[in-house]
Amino acid sequence: RSSAINALNPDVILIGGSTEAASSVPATFAAYVKGMSDFFVQLNAPRKVVLGSTTMRTAGQEAARCVNSHLTTVTACNTVYNGANPLDPTVLLLRRDQQVASSSNARLVPLLSLTCTPSTKTKPFALCPPVVNHKIVYTDQSHLSSAYVTYVTPVFRSLVNSALTP
């Protein structure tokens, strides 16, 4: 409830998106954006941050299972994020996160760089490896492993601190 959160007088509120595939369905997408935006607008914190989604892997791309099957060729488990494809599940999630941030006067912290190589308008494809520095990135389709989260914490902290700087 927003009243309970507001009673705490927070300086900052961070909100994370869900990577549920259902949120990429148009009717659910709109309902998610409206519901999250309506809730976030009710919160009185002076600074609001939306944590953007990371990549979404399909069941056939589950990192741990794939790596276990390709121990000597882990790169066979790489996925590709196609920023030029409007139907790419990650593109939909990122657009959804942008809309929530924009409609609720919040800053967006894009987290895609934590799981994929950078992509640009001129190079919209990004490689998303299942293992980085000997750490498995995902435990399933959408949950980052605790070892990987610990590894990227300094980068995450820097991204959030940048969003909190006026």
Side-chain angles (χ1 to χ4, degrees), residues 21-34 86-87 92 95-96 99:
S23 64
S24 64
V25 175
T28 307
F29 180 101
Y32 181 95
V33 170
K34 181 174 178 2
L87 299 178
L92 294 169
R95 188 167 32 119
R96 182 203 63 191
Q99 288 181 12

Side-chain angles (χ1 to χ4, degrees), residues 114 146-161:
L114 296 179
S146 59
Y148 189 71
V149 167
T150 300
Y151 174 69
V152 297
T153 294
V155 177
F156 174 79
R157 184 179 294 120
S158 175
L159 292 170
V160 171
N161 284 340

Side-chain angles (χ1 to χ4, degrees), residues 54-55 58 68 77 107 113:
T54 58
T55 50
T58 66
N68 190 47
C77 302
R107 290 199 177 175
S113 63

Side-chain angles (χ1 to χ4, degrees), residues 50-74:
V50 173
L51 301 175
S53 299
T54 58
T55 50
M56 173 139 177
R57 300 176 75 93
T58 66
Q61 300 169 324
E62 283 189 18
R65 184 174 305 178
C66 185
V67 168
N68 190 47
S69 298
H70 297 87
L71 293 175
T72 59
T73 55
V74 173

